[in-house]
Amino acid sequence: QVQLVESGGGLVQAGGSLRLSCAVSGLPLSSHGMGWFRQSPGKDREFLGRIAWTGVSVSYADSVKGRFTISGDYGKNTVYLQMDSLKPEDTAVYYCAAPGQAYTVGPYVYWGQGTQVTVSS
């Protein structure tokens, strides 16, 4: 059974940092790339970035490039989203996701429950 569990969300002031974790079970990161997404009320889900199964190739959406960093700890089967220079518009529920097939970048089939990030001005 595949489970993705996010943690690390919370309330932070603008300019601050948070690190989100996504603990994965039932799916080896060594063969499955992972994606990070977010969704704000009234808005569509937004893709933030992905890390390939190699752990080397990482890509980001323009909206977070230079501020967010995705990494993975394959020993812990966990991926991270380091968020720096946070802005009020980063307020959202953040999700990690995994594709249904190994060695692919999508479509994302498995999703975590989400973790709330709130950035105050």
Side-chain angles (χ1 to χ4, degrees):
Q1 182 178 357
V2 177
Q3 278 193 316
L4 283 63
V5 180
E6 300 100 336
S7 61
L11 174 64
V12 63
Q13 287 190 331
S17 299
L18 279 176
R19 188 178 81 156
L20 306 183
S21 300
C22 174
V24 183
S25 58
L27 209 63
L29 295 184
S30 57
S31 61
H32 287 75
M34 296 291 295
W36 281 97
F37 296 78
R38 68 185 178 188
Q39 188 164 23
S40 306
K43 293 187 177 181
D44 292 336
R45 185 166 57 201
E46 179 186 10
F47 168 78
L48 301 177
R50 66 167 63 95
I51 182 168
W53 52 91
T54 59
V56 174
S57 176
V58 185
S59 60
Y60 301 95
D62 288 343
S63 60
V64 302
K65 193 176 297 182
R67 298 191 300 123
F68 289 11
T69 304
I70 298 173
S71 62
D73 183 332
Y74 289 69
K76 296 181 179 180
N77 220 47
T78 299
V79 293
Y80 303 98
L81 179 66
Q82 175 68 42
M83 305 185 294
D84 299 316
S85 303
L86 284 163
K87 307 174 183 179
E89 52 263 43
D90 293 318
T91 295
V93 178
Y94 284 69
Y95 301 89
C96 60
Q101 291 187 341
Y103 308 113
T104 65
V105 296
Y108 292 98
V109 173
Y110 303 106
W111 294 84
Q113 83 286 355
T115 186
Q116 176 71 46
V117 172
T118 302
V119 184
S120 63
S121 57

